[in-house]
Amino acid sequence: MARKCPVTNKRPLIGNNVSHANNKTRRRFLPNLQYRRFWLESEKRYIKLRVTTRAIRIIDKHGIEAVLKDIKLREKIAA
């Protein structure tokens, strides 16, 4: 499974570890992905998503139905 959030499209970033001696080595900054169940009222069931903590806040604010509608619209435009 890719380390990508379906709601915010956040992916791993690449940067440097910088030591006290200013040595630089490559590293990855991973998004804070969490497995979370959301209740879909229209289908009377739970769905399980792997989303970032930021996406959880967006879903709490706008609702899971609106967020899923937005995801489907984005996928339709991209295809």
Side-chain angles (χ1 to χ4, degrees):
M1 179 180 287
R3 288 190 170 108
K4 179 186 168 203
C5 176
V7 177
T8 60
N9 286 326
K10 288 188 183 240
R11 297 171 181 237
L13 296 171
I14 297 174
N16 288 317
N17 276 331
V18 181
S19 70
H20 186 68
N22 207 27
N23 297 329
K24 295 171 185 72
T25 55
R26 298 304 276 176
R27 63 160 290 183
R28 295 178 77 197
F29 294 94
L30 300 176
N32 187 7
L33 292 173
Q34 308 292 323
Y35 285 102
R36 180 81 187 265
R37 287 188 331 158
F38 296 99
W39 176 251
L40 274 178
E41 186 62 35
S42 62
E43 298 181 19
K44 301 286 190 221
R45 69 182 183 102
Y46 283 101
I47 59 168
K48 192 173 180 183
L49 294 175
R50 189 179 188 200
V51 293
T52 59
T53 51
R54 179 72 187 148
I56 293 171
R57 289 171 54 98
I58 290 169
I59 292 168
D60 287 345
K61 183 175 181 180
H62 298 290
I64 187 67
E65 303 282 344
V67 172
L68 288 176
K69 186 178 176 183
D70 184 49
I71 291 171
K72 289 178 185 175
L73 182 65
R74 265 189 290 159
E75 287 177 356
K76 188 176 181 180
I77 291 171

